[in-house]
Amino acid sequence: MSLSSAEARRRLGERLFAPMREELDARLLPIYKERLTVTAAQRLEDAGVAGSALMALSRLGR
């Protein structure tokens, strides 16, 4: 049985996100946990560009 690329990404994402969610759950205050959702990017081709832009804006203080 072969997996579609979407299914393979979903499974890999869960292997990466599960430990991240556990760590965030242990460290974040409840008010922040309620507002946070950890998910894979929906538009994979734009994820790197969007993340880089957000990081640049953050460093510029905007």
Side-chain angles (χ1 to χ4, degrees):
M1 173 169 111
S2 87
L3 296 174
S4 69
S5 63
E7 178 65 13
R9 282 194 306 264
R10 185 190 66 77
R11 288 186 181 186
L12 179 59
E14 280 309 305
R15 289 184 66 193
L16 295 171
F17 292 143
M20 184 187 318
R21 286 185 188 112
E22 290 174 14
E23 191 66 26
L24 289 168
D25 189 52
R27 293 176 179 259
L28 290 176
L29 294 171
I31 191 168
Y32 299 115
K33 288 182 205 180
E34 296 167 2
R35 299 177 185 183
L36 180 69
T37 303
V38 177
T39 61
Q42 297 300 310
R43 298 191 50 159
L44 295 176
E45 67 275 2
D46 296 338
V49 173
S52 296
L54 288 171
M55 188 169 90
L57 288 172
S58 171
R59 290 191 177 188
L60 292 172
R62 297 182 184 171

